[in-house]
Amino acid sequence: MDQKALNDTIVAINSFLSNNILLIALLGCGIFYTIYSKGVQFRKLGAAFKQTFGGVFSKEKKSEDEGVSSFQALAVAIAAQVGTGNVAGVATAIMAGGPGAIFWMWLAAILGMATIYAEATLAQKFREKDDEGNFVGGPAYYIKNGIGPTHPGLAKVMSVAFAILIVIALGFVGNIVQSNSIATSVVAAVEGAGGHLNPIIVGIVVAVLAGGVFIGGIKRIANFAQLVVPIMALIYIVAAIVMMVKFHDQIGPAFKLIFQAAFNPEAALGGALGITIKAAASKGVGRGLFSNEAGMGSTPHAHATANVAHPVLQGYTAMVGVFIDTIVVCTVTALMILVTGSWTDKSLNGALVTQEAFTRAFGTGGTVLLAVALGFFAFTTIVGWYYFGETNIRFLFGHKGLWPYRILVLLCIIAGSLQEVDLVWNTADLTNSLMVIPNIIAIIMLHKHVKNMSLHYETNGKEGSL
């Protein structure tokens, strides 16, 4: 089979998975856990924000052996969640599904908060300690330790399958994609300023910087994320605020268009565009689910590392991560695109739509500003995804697998800077989709553990022992 035929096959398989099985599975899981938890994302949202940010400015010093804090674990999760998809993916959803897609994106995020609550709580309950005394966990671990005692054969197959898929999806292929995004945006910014830059130089620099973070293990990764993620978010949100001030008269119409186009796109946009409620819902739900990674099994690796008094507390924090990723960052991107009107240029798609919004707001400097934002987003995603892969390398091979994995990831980062290869990007999509399947099966099978932990915490508080 030649490369084109292989690529076409992968695209067809992934399209079927994404548009049918995964959309139903992820949405269904969110609905199930929303009902099963009695709307935990509504009942406990205030407690979730208090848990997440209540101790951030505490002056109490933590001892070295206390490990990773709840906020640091969230920062690692957000580092992975907030990526180029928040810029390009939102634009793609609007161009294909109209502004109404944003309403459905919000709905998917709200449901996803219940799913990620279950994932993080399970990751905490079934985690282990590695050879260095650090907590490690995630789907492979809660499949092994949660399902394994009653279904050992099934647990073995599911846990190993998930671990292999996430290493390929995020550690290797995913980081090729992220590196390519950084190189493309940096080279475009340099050329826009009249200069020239070989993309492999960007790849080498990114690899060196990333390697310096990787080698320090989870504590260095957590410290890096805790410092960089708030700065990253601040830069992007400040740019959005400036844009909203400049186009303040378009904010009201933008929100009105979102709601009108969600339920009656033909009336709001005109039938000539061919956008239906089904298209708006499909694109919006898909972007919401895949942006915040709820149900995908990636962020539980970060939440498992947190040193909290009760597993449920990290479940609360995980919900805040989805809120920040989709309700805040994705909405910010959507508003930039809508208030500037860049979405009306049908010759554009993906990140170019967002880039046009920045150009309309900030002139030629907007290209540089977006390149900086994309660079932050993609680099932090590389760090987060590396760690998720590392956790599963430990699961599969133990400590001895770490250095070969690190070297391969760094080579992938350098290779990714050279060119965009459709086969690589589509393979990343496929492996991302496949790893969702064992994770969704697991969190549904383990639903009683989530309920028991929730009841235990709500009855006894964080001081009660499990």
Side-chain angles (χ1 to χ4, degrees), residues 26-27 29-35 37 39-43 45 102-117 259 284-285 288-289 292 294 319 322-324 326-327:
L26 288 168
L27 204 55
C29 188
I31 293 169
F32 170 78
Y33 267 108
T34 296
I35 296 169
S37 67
V40 65
Q41 67 269 56
F42 305 109
R43 293 188 298 111
L45 187 60
I102 303 307
F103 171 84
W104 300 106
M105 180 187 77
W106 292 334
L107 179 62
I110 291 167
L111 294 172
M113 288 169 74
T115 302
I116 213 162
Y117 166 80
F259 288 102
V285 168
L289 292 171
N292 57 57
M319 293 195 300
V322 172
F323 187 93
I324 291 171
T326 308
I327 305 299

Side-chain angles (χ1 to χ4, degrees), residues 344-425:
T344 59
D345 187 343
K346 300 305 174 184
S347 67
L348 303 174
N349 203 3
L352 292 177
V353 181
T354 314
Q355 185 181 78
E356 176 65 17
F358 271 75
T359 302
R360 292 186 183 192
F362 304 110
T364 54
T367 303
V368 176
L369 184 57
L370 185 60
V372 170
L374 280 170
F376 267 115
F377 286 177
F379 186 78
T380 57
T381 299
I382 285 174
V383 172
W385 283 2
Y386 160 82
Y387 177 70
F388 300 163
E390 179 190 283
T391 303
N392 288 276
I393 288 291
R394 288 180 183 274
F395 180 84
L396 292 167
F397 306 111
H399 188 77
K400 65 180 181 290
L402 290 186
W403 273 105
Y405 170 69
R406 286 169 179 165
I407 291 167
L408 286 170
V409 171
L410 295 176
L411 290 174
C412 286
I413 291 170
I414 294 171
S417 67
L418 295 176
Q419 61 179 334
E420 177 182 328
V421 180
D422 286 344
L423 181 60
V424 174
W425 283 65

